[in-house]
mmCIF file of all heavy atoms in Angstrom:
data_model
loop_
_atom_site.group_PDB
_atom_site.id
_atom_site.type_symbol
_atom_site.label_atom_id
_atom_site.label_comp_id
_atom_site.label_asym_id
_atom_site.label_seq_id
_atom_site.Cartn_x
_atom_site.Cartn_y
_atom_site.Cartn_z
ATOM 1 N N ALA N 53 16.764 16.997 0.850
ATOM 2 C CA ALA N 53 15.787 16.624 -0.177
ATOM 3 C C ALA N 53 14.360 16.939 0.263
ATOM 4 O O ALA N 53 13.500 17.203 -0.575
ATOM 5 C CB ALA N 53 15.918 15.143 -0.497
ATOM 6 N N MET N 54 14.120 16.939 1.562
ATOM 7 C CA MET N 54 12.766 17.146 2.067
ATOM 8 C C MET N 54 12.372 18.612 2.197
ATOM 9 O O MET N 54 11.207 18.912 2.428
ATOM 10 C CB MET N 54 12.611 16.450 3.421
ATOM 11 C CG MET N 54 12.587 14.941 3.291
ATOM 12 S SD MET N 54 12.231 14.147 4.864
ATOM 13 C CE MET N 54 10.659 14.869 5.279
ATOM 14 N N ARG N 55 13.302 19.527 2.035
ATOM 15 C CA ARG N 55 13.003 20.953 2.210
ATOM 16 C C ARG N 55 12.186 21.504 1.045
ATOM 17 O O ARG N 55 12.574 21.385 -0.100
ATOM 18 C CB ARG N 55 14.284 21.762 2.302
ATOM 19 C CG ARG N 55 15.041 21.530 3.562
ATOM 20 C CD ARG N 55 16.223 22.448 3.608
ATOM 21 N NE ARG N 55 17.422 21.618 3.543
ATOM 22 C CZ ARG N 55 18.642 22.090 3.464
ATOM 23 N NH1 ARG N 55 18.859 23.369 3.391
ATOM 24 N NH2 ARG N 55 19.655 21.273 3.424
ATOM 25 N N ASN N 56 11.077 22.151 1.388
ATOM 26 C CA ASN N 56 10.275 22.858 0.392
ATOM 27 C C ASN N 56 10.818 24.284 0.310
ATOM 28 O O ASN N 56 10.365 25.181 1.013
ATOM 29 C CB ASN N 56 8.797 22.855 0.789
ATOM 30 C CG ASN N 56 7.944 23.665 -0.158
ATOM 31 O OD1 ASN N 56 8.350 24.003 -1.265
ATOM 32 N ND2 ASN N 56 6.744 23.990 0.287
ATOM 33 N N THR N 57 11.780 24.491 -0.563
ATOM 34 C CA THR N 57 12.462 25.783 -0.646
ATOM 35 C C THR N 57 11.670 26.830 -1.419
ATOM 36 O O THR N 57 12.057 27.989 -1.447
ATOM 37 C CB THR N 57 13.845 25.623 -1.296
ATOM 38 O OG1 THR N 57 13.681 25.075 -2.601
ATOM 39 C CG2 THR N 57 14.736 24.720 -0.452
ATOM 40 N N SER N 58 10.559 26.434 -2.030
ATOM 41 C CA SER N 58 9.786 27.405 -2.814
ATOM 42 C C SER N 58 8.623 28.007 -2.027
ATOM 43 O O SER N 58 7.933 28.874 -2.542
ATOM 44 C CB SER N 58 9.266 26.749 -4.096
ATOM 45 O OG SER N 58 8.364 25.710 -3.782
ATOM 46 N N GLY N 59 8.412 27.579 -0.820
ATOM 47 C CA GLY N 59 7.277 28.068 -0.043
ATOM 48 C C GLY N 59 7.612 29.268 0.825
ATOM 49 O O GLY N 59 8.769 29.558 1.123
ATOM 50 N N GLY N 60 6.575 29.959 1.234
ATOM 51 C CA GLY N 60 6.722 31.121 2.098
ATOM 52 C C GLY N 60 7.299 30.781 3.454
ATOM 53 O O GLY N 60 8.035 31.584 4.040
ATOM 54 N N SER N 61 6.987 29.590 3.960
ATOM 55 C CA SER N 61 7.527 29.182 5.263
ATOM 56 C C SER N 61 9.048 29.114 5.219
ATOM 57 O O SER N 61 9.723 29.533 6.163
ATOM 58 C CB SER N 61 6.961 27.821 5.678
ATOM 59 O OG SER N 61 5.592 27.914 5.972
ATOM 60 N N PHE N 62 9.599 28.600 4.124
ATOM 61 C CA PHE N 62 11.054 28.507 3.990
ATOM 62 C C PHE N 62 11.672 29.900 3.900
ATOM 63 O O PHE N 62 12.664 30.201 4.555
ATOM 64 C CB PHE N 62 11.425 27.674 2.756
ATOM 65 C CG PHE N 62 12.904 27.483 2.581
ATOM 66 C CD1 PHE N 62 13.575 26.493 3.276
ATOM 67 C CD2 PHE N 62 13.628 28.292 1.727
ATOM 68 C CE1 PHE N 62 14.944 26.307 3.124
ATOM 69 C CE2 PHE N 62 14.997 28.118 1.555
ATOM 70 C CZ PHE N 62 15.653 27.122 2.261
ATOM 71 N N ARG N 63 11.073 30.752 3.085
ATOM 72 C CA ARG N 63 11.610 32.110 2.920
ATOM 73 C C ARG N 63 11.540 32.913 4.209
ATOM 74 O O ARG N 63 12.353 33.816 4.429
ATOM 75 C CB ARG N 63 10.864 32.836 1.798
ATOM 76 C CG ARG N 63 11.220 32.282 0.418
ATOM 77 C CD ARG N 63 10.643 33.149 -0.694
ATOM 78 N NE ARG N 63 9.191 33.235 -0.693
ATOM 79 C CZ ARG N 63 8.378 32.388 -1.304
ATOM 80 N NH1 ARG N 63 8.871 31.350 -1.963
ATOM 81 N NH2 ARG N 63 7.075 32.554 -1.258
ATOM 82 N N ALA N 64 10.595 32.574 5.085
ATOM 83 C CA ALA N 64 10.449 33.296 6.348
ATOM 84 C C ALA N 64 11.509 32.910 7.380
ATOM 85 O O ALA N 64 11.714 33.627 8.357
ATOM 86 C CB ALA N 64 9.052 33.060 6.929
ATOM 87 N N LEU N 65 12.185 31.785 7.156
ATOM 88 C CA LEU N 65 13.243 31.372 8.085
ATOM 89 C C LEU N 65 14.447 32.302 7.936
ATOM 90 O O LEU N 65 14.721 32.804 6.860
ATOM 91 C CB LEU N 65 13.671 29.933 7.794
ATOM 92 C CG LEU N 65 12.616 28.854 7.996
ATOM 93 C CD1 LEU N 65 13.153 27.514 7.519
ATOM 94 C CD2 LEU N 65 12.166 28.770 9.437
ATOM 95 N N GLY N 66 15.162 32.470 9.000
ATOM 96 C CA GLY N 66 16.343 33.328 8.989
ATOM 97 C C GLY N 66 17.532 32.648 8.339
ATOM 98 O O GLY N 66 17.491 31.460 8.008
ATOM 99 N N PRO N 67 18.611 33.381 8.179
ATOM 100 C CA PRO N 67 19.809 32.822 7.536
ATOM 101 C C PRO N 67 20.439 31.672 8.324
ATOM 102 O O PRO N 67 21.225 30.896 7.769
ATOM 103 C CB PRO N 67 20.755 34.016 7.441
ATOM 104 C CG PRO N 67 20.254 35.009 8.415
ATOM 105 C CD PRO N 67 18.784 34.777 8.559
ATOM 106 N N GLU N 68 20.093 31.536 9.588
ATOM 107 C CA GLU N 68 20.654 30.449 10.394
ATOM 108 C C GLU N 68 20.248 29.074 9.851
ATOM 109 O O GLU N 68 20.896 28.066 10.141
ATOM 110 C CB GLU N 68 20.257 30.586 11.870
ATOM 111 C CG GLU N 68 18.775 30.423 12.146
ATOM 112 C CD GLU N 68 17.937 31.686 11.938
ATOM 113 O OE1 GLU N 68 18.471 32.736 11.537
ATOM 114 O OE2 GLU N 68 16.713 31.617 12.174
ATOM 115 N N LYS N 69 19.192 29.030 9.045
ATOM 116 C CA LYS N 69 18.746 27.748 8.494
ATOM 117 C C LYS N 69 19.834 27.079 7.647
ATOM 118 O O LYS N 69 19.852 25.862 7.510
ATOM 119 C CB LYS N 69 17.478 27.926 7.665
ATOM 120 C CG LYS N 69 17.680 28.653 6.352
ATOM 121 C CD LYS N 69 16.375 28.822 5.592
ATOM 122 C CE LYS N 69 16.556 29.575 4.297
ATOM 123 N NZ LYS N 69 16.789 30.994 4.456
ATOM 124 N N ASP N 70 20.740 27.879 7.104
ATOM 125 C CA ASP N 70 21.811 27.332 6.271
ATOM 126 C C ASP N 70 22.781 26.454 7.070
ATOM 127 O O ASP N 70 23.469 25.622 6.485
ATOM 128 C CB ASP N 70 22.588 28.461 5.588
ATOM 129 C CG ASP N 70 21.717 29.243 4.626
ATOM 130 O OD1 ASP N 70 20.748 28.662 4.083
ATOM 131 O OD2 ASP N 70 21.979 30.442 4.431
ATOM 132 N N ALA N 71 22.810 26.620 8.378
ATOM 133 C CA ALA N 71 23.724 25.848 9.230
ATOM 134 C C ALA N 71 23.009 24.705 9.958
ATOM 135 O O ALA N 71 23.653 23.966 10.704
ATOM 136 C CB ALA N 71 24.383 26.772 10.253
ATOM 137 N N TRP N 72 21.712 24.540 9.752
ATOM 138 C CA TRP N 72 20.964 23.506 10.467
ATOM 139 C C TRP N 72 21.381 22.111 10.024
ATOM 140 O O TRP N 72 21.619 21.859 8.845
ATOM 141 C CB TRP N 72 19.468 23.679 10.246
ATOM 142 C CG TRP N 72 18.855 24.842 10.951
ATOM 143 C CD1 TRP N 72 19.463 25.702 11.805
ATOM 144 C CD2 TRP N 72 17.510 25.281 10.836
ATOM 145 N NE1 TRP N 72 18.586 26.642 12.242
ATOM 146 C CE2 TRP N 72 17.367 26.415 11.663
ATOM 147 C CE3 TRP N 72 16.408 24.841 10.117
ATOM 148 C CZ2 TRP N 72 16.162 27.096 11.794
ATOM 149 C CZ3 TRP N 72 15.207 25.517 10.253
ATOM 150 C CH2 TRP N 72 15.092 26.632 11.087
ATOM 151 N N ASP N 73 21.422 21.197 11.000
ATOM 152 C CA ASP N 73 21.673 19.796 10.699
ATOM 153 C C ASP N 73 20.329 19.075 10.563
ATOM 154 O O ASP N 73 19.265 19.700 10.656
ATOM 155 C CB ASP N 73 22.548 19.153 11.778
ATOM 156 C CG ASP N 73 21.913 19.184 13.170
ATOM 157 O OD1 ASP N 73 20.725 19.579 13.324
ATOM 158 O OD2 ASP N 73 22.611 18.794 14.133
ATOM 159 N N ASP N 74 20.360 17.769 10.337
ATOM 160 C CA ASP N 74 19.123 17.005 10.144
ATOM 161 C C ASP N 74 18.195 17.090 11.353
ATOM 162 O O ASP N 74 16.975 17.155 11.200
ATOM 163 C CB ASP N 74 19.434 15.539 9.833
ATOM 164 C CG ASP N 74 19.936 15.333 8.415
ATOM 165 O OD1 ASP N 74 20.018 16.317 7.642
ATOM 166 O OD2 ASP N 74 20.247 14.181 8.070
ATOM 167 N N ALA N 75 18.757 17.097 12.552
ATOM 168 C CA ALA N 75 17.932 17.175 13.760
ATOM 169 C C ALA N 75 17.193 18.509 13.827
ATOM 170 O O ALA N 75 16.001 18.553 14.178
ATOM 171 C CB ALA N 75 18.793 16.975 15.006
ATOM 172 N N ALA N 76 17.877 19.595 13.486
ATOM 173 C CA ALA N 76 17.233 20.912 13.494
ATOM 174 C C ALA N 76 16.150 20.981 12.430
ATOM 175 O O ALA N 76 15.066 21.546 12.665
ATOM 176 C CB ALA N 76 18.271 22.012 13.278
ATOM 177 N N TRP N 77 16.414 20.408 11.254
ATOM 178 C CA TRP N 77 15.395 20.397 10.203
ATOM 179 C C TRP N 77 14.199 19.549 10.605
ATOM 180 O O TRP N 77 13.054 19.908 10.331
ATOM 181 C CB TRP N 77 15.988 19.933 8.874
ATOM 182 C CG TRP N 77 16.631 21.065 8.154
ATOM 183 C CD1 TRP N 77 17.965 21.289 7.990
ATOM 184 C CD2 TRP N 77 15.962 22.174 7.556
ATOM 185 N NE1 TRP N 77 18.162 22.477 7.311
ATOM 186 C CE2 TRP N 77 16.947 23.035 7.028
ATOM 187 C CE3 TRP N 77 14.624 22.534 7.408
ATOM 188 C CZ2 TRP N 77 16.638 24.217 6.366
ATOM 189 C CZ3 TRP N 77 14.309 23.712 6.746
ATOM 190 C CH2 TRP N 77 15.308 24.538 6.238
ATOM 191 N N THR N 78 14.446 18.440 11.291
ATOM 192 C CA THR N 78 13.339 17.598 11.755
ATOM 193 C C THR N 78 12.444 18.388 12.693
ATOM 194 O O THR N 78 11.213 18.336 12.584
ATOM 195 C CB THR N 78 13.877 16.330 12.453
ATOM 196 O OG1 THR N 78 14.684 15.600 11.515
ATOM 197 C CG2 THR N 78 12.756 15.443 12.946
ATOM 198 N N GLN N 79 13.033 19.156 13.596
ATOM 199 C CA GLN N 79 12.248 19.998 14.504
ATOM 200 C C GLN N 79 11.472 21.068 13.729
ATOM 201 O O GLN N 79 10.322 21.362 14.041
ATOM 202 C CB GLN N 79 13.148 20.637 15.564
ATOM 203 C CG GLN N 79 13.697 19.657 16.573
ATOM 204 C CD GLN N 79 12.595 18.852 17.253
ATOM 205 O OE1 GLN N 79 11.629 19.390 17.768
ATOM 206 N NE2 GLN N 79 12.730 17.540 17.231
ATOM 207 N N ALA N 80 12.101 21.645 12.718
ATOM 208 C CA ALA N 80 11.426 22.662 11.903
ATOM 209 C C ALA N 80 10.257 22.042 11.144
ATOM 210 O O ALA N 80 9.172 22.649 11.058
ATOM 211 C CB ALA N 80 12.419 23.298 10.929
ATOM 212 N N PHE N 81 10.440 20.836 10.601
ATOM 213 C CA PHE N 81 9.354 20.154 9.890
ATOM 214 C C PHE N 81 8.190 19.854 10.833
ATOM 215 O O PHE N 81 7.027 19.948 10.440
ATOM 216 C CB PHE N 81 9.842 18.842 9.265
ATOM 217 C CG PHE N 81 10.872 18.987 8.183
ATOM 218 C CD1 PHE N 81 11.838 18.009 8.003
ATOM 219 C CD2 PHE N 81 10.901 20.083 7.326
ATOM 220 C CE1 PHE N 81 12.787 18.098 7.005
ATOM 221 C CE2 PHE N 81 11.858 20.198 6.323
ATOM 222 C CZ PHE N 81 12.803 19.202 6.159
ATOM 223 N N LEU N 82 8.521 19.503 12.072
ATOM 224 C CA LEU N 82 7.471 19.241 13.064
ATOM 225 C C LEU N 82 6.701 20.514 13.390
ATOM 226 O O LEU N 82 5.482 20.487 13.533
ATOM 227 C CB LEU N 82 8.078 18.669 14.353
ATOM 228 C CG LEU N 82 8.460 17.212 14.327
ATOM 229 C CD1 LEU N 82 9.275 16.854 15.562
ATOM 230 C CD2 LEU N 82 7.218 16.339 14.228
ATOM 231 N N ALA N 83 7.418 21.616 13.511
ATOM 232 C CA ALA N 83 6.781 22.894 13.862
ATOM 233 C C ALA N 83 5.940 23.445 12.716
ATOM 234 O O ALA N 83 4.913 24.089 12.953
ATOM 235 C CB ALA N 83 7.845 23.914 14.275
ATOM 236 N N ASP N 84 6.368 23.195 11.471
ATOM 237 C CA ASP N 84 5.648 23.719 10.309
ATOM 238 C C ASP N 84 5.741 22.722 9.160
ATOM 239 O O ASP N 84 6.700 22.733 8.397
ATOM 240 C CB ASP N 84 6.236 25.072 9.882
ATOM 241 C CG ASP N 84 5.459 25.723 8.756
ATOM 242 O OD1 ASP N 84 4.474 25.119 8.255
ATOM 243 O OD2 ASP N 84 5.826 26.837 8.363
ATOM 244 N N PRO N 85 4.725 21.845 9.013
ATOM 245 C CA PRO N 85 4.758 20.846 7.945
ATOM 246 C C PRO N 85 4.805 21.443 6.534
ATOM 247 O O PRO N 85 5.134 20.732 5.586
ATOM 248 C CB PRO N 85 3.469 20.048 8.151
ATOM 249 C CG PRO N 85 3.080 20.283 9.556
ATOM 250 C CD PRO N 85 3.573 21.662 9.895
ATOM 251 N N MET N 86 4.521 22.727 6.380
ATOM 252 C CA MET N 86 4.601 23.346 5.055
ATOM 253 C C MET N 86 6.054 23.483 4.590
ATOM 254 O O MET N 86 6.313 23.769 3.429
ATOM 255 C CB MET N 86 3.910 24.710 5.036
ATOM 256 C CG MET N 86 2.402 24.641 5.243
ATOM 257 S SD MET N 86 1.544 23.648 3.994
ATOM 258 C CE MET N 86 1.349 22.093 4.808
ATOM 259 N N LEU N 87 7.006 23.226 5.486
ATOM 260 C CA LEU N 87 8.418 23.211 5.111
ATOM 261 C C LEU N 87 8.815 21.920 4.390
ATOM 262 O O LEU N 87 9.890 21.828 3.828
ATOM 263 C CB LEU N 87 9.305 23.386 6.347
ATOM 264 C CG LEU N 87 9.316 24.771 6.977
ATOM 265 C CD1 LEU N 87 10.000 24.730 8.336
ATOM 266 C CD2 LEU N 87 10.001 25.758 6.040
ATOM 267 N N ILE N 88 7.914 20.929 4.400
ATOM 268 C CA ILE N 88 8.201 19.636 3.799
ATOM 269 C C ILE N 88 7.827 19.669 2.317
ATOM 270 O O ILE N 88 6.709 20.037 1.954
ATOM 271 C CB ILE N 88 7.418 18.511 4.505
ATOM 272 C CG1 ILE N 88 7.783 18.456 5.991
ATOM 273 C CG2 ILE N 88 7.677 17.165 3.828
ATOM 274 C CD1 ILE N 88 6.906 17.527 6.806
ATOM 275 N N ARG N 89 8.773 19.268 1.486
ATOM 276 C CA ARG N 89 8.511 19.151 0.046
ATOM 277 C C ARG N 89 7.457 18.069 -0.164
ATOM 278 O O ARG N 89 7.454 17.049 0.533
ATOM 279 C CB ARG N 89 9.809 18.783 -0.670
ATOM 280 C CG ARG N 89 9.681 18.713 -2.157
ATOM 281 C CD ARG N 89 11.045 18.475 -2.771
ATOM 282 N NE ARG N 89 10.899 18.237 -4.192
ATOM 283 C CZ ARG N 89 11.685 17.480 -4.908
ATOM 284 N NH1 ARG N 89 12.718 16.883 -4.332
ATOM 285 N NH2 ARG N 89 11.480 17.322 -6.190
ATOM 286 N N ARG N 90 6.604 18.280 -1.159
ATOM 287 C CA ARG N 90 5.474 17.378 -1.349
ATOM 288 C C ARG N 90 5.457 16.795 -2.760
ATOM 289 O O ARG N 90 5.936 17.437 -3.682
ATOM 290 C CB ARG N 90 4.178 18.154 -1.096
ATOM 291 C CG ARG N 90 4.137 18.770 0.286
ATOM 292 C CD ARG N 90 2.956 19.692 0.476
ATOM 293 N NE ARG N 90 2.996 20.906 -0.298
ATOM 294 C CZ ARG N 90 3.518 22.053 0.116
ATOM 295 N NH1 ARG N 90 4.101 22.135 1.283
ATOM 296 N NH2 ARG N 90 3.466 23.121 -0.638
ATOM 297 N N PRO N 91 4.856 15.599 -2.839
ATOM 298 C CA PRO N 91 4.421 14.709 -1.771
ATOM 299 C C PRO N 91 5.578 13.867 -1.220
ATOM 300 O O PRO N 91 6.589 13.686 -1.886
ATOM 301 C CB PRO N 91 3.416 13.795 -2.474
ATOM 302 C CG PRO N 91 3.932 13.688 -3.866
ATOM 303 C CD PRO N 91 4.533 15.052 -4.167
ATOM 304 N N VAL N 92 5.373 13.380 -0.015
ATOM 305 C CA VAL N 92 6.252 12.351 0.533
ATOM 306 C C VAL N 92 5.524 11.041 0.253
ATOM 307 O O VAL N 92 4.351 10.889 0.612
ATOM 308 C CB VAL N 92 6.496 12.532 2.050
ATOM 309 C CG1 VAL N 92 7.341 11.390 2.593
ATOM 310 C CG2 VAL N 92 7.147 13.867 2.333
ATOM 311 N N ILE N 93 6.196 10.135 -0.437
ATOM 312 C CA ILE N 93 5.564 8.882 -0.844
ATOM 313 C C ILE N 93 6.182 7.732 -0.053
ATOM 314 O O ILE N 93 7.405 7.582 -0.012
ATOM 315 C CB ILE N 93 5.749 8.636 -2.359
ATOM 316 C CG1 ILE N 93 5.160 9.819 -3.150
ATOM 317 C CG2 ILE N 93 5.113 7.314 -2.772
ATOM 318 C CD1 ILE N 93 5.446 9.782 -4.632
ATOM 319 N N LEU N 94 5.314 6.941 0.575
ATOM 320 C CA LEU N 94 5.736 5.774 1.349
ATOM 321 C C LEU N 94 5.168 4.531 0.700
ATOM 322 O O LEU N 94 4.081 4.574 0.104
ATOM 323 C CB LEU N 94 5.217 5.856 2.779
ATOM 324 C CG LEU N 94 5.871 6.848 3.736
ATOM 325 C CD1 LEU N 94 5.530 8.268 3.391
ATOM 326 C CD2 LEU N 94 5.462 6.557 5.140
ATOM 327 N N ARG N 95 5.905 3.446 0.813
ATOM 328 C CA ARG N 95 5.412 2.143 0.353
ATOM 329 C C ARG N 95 5.509 1.192 1.523
ATOM 330 O O ARG N 95 6.603 0.985 2.063
ATOM 331 C CB ARG N 95 6.244 1.631 -0.812
ATOM 332 C CG ARG N 95 5.746 0.311 -1.341
ATOM 333 C CD ARG N 95 6.568 -0.131 -2.517
ATOM 334 N NE ARG N 95 5.915 -1.249 -3.161
ATOM 335 C CZ ARG N 95 6.385 -1.816 -4.244
ATOM 336 N NH1 ARG N 95 7.498 -1.385 -4.801
ATOM 337 N NH2 ARG N 95 5.746 -2.822 -4.766
ATOM 338 N N ASP N 96 4.366 0.661 1.925
ATOM 339 C CA ASP N 96 4.296 -0.236 3.085
ATOM 340 C C ASP N 96 4.946 0.399 4.312
ATOM 341 O O ASP N 96 5.664 -0.255 5.064
ATOM 342 C CB ASP N 96 4.941 -1.589 2.760
ATOM 343 C CG ASP N 96 4.224 -2.298 1.610
ATOM 344 O OD1 ASP N 96 2.989 -2.155 1.502
ATOM 345 O OD2 ASP N 96 4.898 -2.978 0.819
ATOM 346 N N GLY N 97 4.730 1.700 4.477
ATOM 347 C CA GLY N 97 5.229 2.422 5.640
ATOM 348 C C GLY N 97 6.648 2.932 5.543
ATOM 349 O O GLY N 97 7.103 3.680 6.389
ATOM 350 N N ALA N 98 7.386 2.523 4.506
ATOM 351 C CA ALA N 98 8.785 2.940 4.356
ATOM 352 C C ALA N 98 8.876 4.092 3.350
ATOM 353 O O ALA N 98 8.260 4.039 2.288
ATOM 354 C CB ALA N 98 9.626 1.771 3.883
ATOM 355 N N PRO N 99 9.647 5.126 3.666
ATOM 356 C CA PRO N 99 9.804 6.247 2.738
ATOM 357 C C PRO N 99 10.401 5.778 1.410
ATOM 358 O O PRO N 99 11.397 5.055 1.381
ATOM 359 C CB PRO N 99 10.772 7.191 3.451
ATOM 360 C CG PRO N 99 10.797 6.746 4.872
ATOM 361 C CD PRO N 99 10.438 5.292 4.874
ATOM 362 N N LEU N 100 9.767 6.192 0.316
ATOM 363 C CA LEU N 100 10.208 5.803 -1.012
ATOM 364 C C LEU N 100 10.824 6.986 -1.757
ATOM 365 O O LEU N 100 11.897 6.869 -2.327
ATOM 366 C CB LEU N 100 9.007 5.250 -1.794
ATOM 367 C CG LEU N 100 9.248 4.704 -3.179
ATOM 368 C CD1 LEU N 100 10.204 3.518 -3.142
ATOM 369 C CD2 LEU N 100 7.912 4.278 -3.795
#
Side-chain angles (χ1 to χ4, degrees):
M54 289 186 58
R55 290 184 246 175
N56 176 16
T57 59
S58 64
S61 291
F62 182 82
R63 289 189 298 272
L65 296 174
E68 66 276 2
K69 71 181 179 287
D70 296 332
W72 288 356
D73 61 7
D74 285 358
W77 276 107
T78 301
Q79 290 305 309
F81 295 148
L82 282 169
D84 185 358
M86 294 301 98
L87 288 168
I88 301 171
R89 183 175 173 211
R90 303 172 292 269
V92 176
I93 302 172
L94 287 71
R95 182 178 191 178
D96 299 326
L100 184 61

